[in-house]
Amino acid sequence: MDEQTSAIILRVIERAPQWIRHDLESKNVGARARAEETLAAMIANALWEEAGNSPEN
């Protein structure tokens, strides 16, 4: 993974909402899975946008 990709991922994690941070620590499997899926989607979207794509395309 290059530095640019790492920086993008770090920015997403830094701005992750509190509920995601909380649910990632949860013992509730469903809550944790929802938080993981949401964080993964946020990271994928940030990488996609950085690649020159936009939600309007």
Side-chain angles (χ1 to χ4, degrees):
M1 183 174 344
D2 62 22
E3 288 184 33
Q4 182 180 4
T5 302
S6 295
I8 293 166
I9 293 169
L10 181 58
R11 281 194 306 270
V12 170
I13 292 170
E14 287 173 342
R15 69 172 204 251
Q18 186 59 38
W19 74 265
I20 290 178
R21 296 170 187 267
H22 179 265
D23 286 359
L24 285 171
E25 297 177 348
S26 178
K27 292 182 181 181
N28 180 304
V29 175
R32 193 170 56 246
R34 182 182 65 232
E36 290 168 351
E37 290 171 3
T38 301
L39 185 56
M42 290 172 65
I43 292 169
N45 185 60
L47 292 170
W48 185 72
E49 287 180 350
E50 186 67 27
N53 300 299
S54 67
E56 294 81 32
N57 290 342

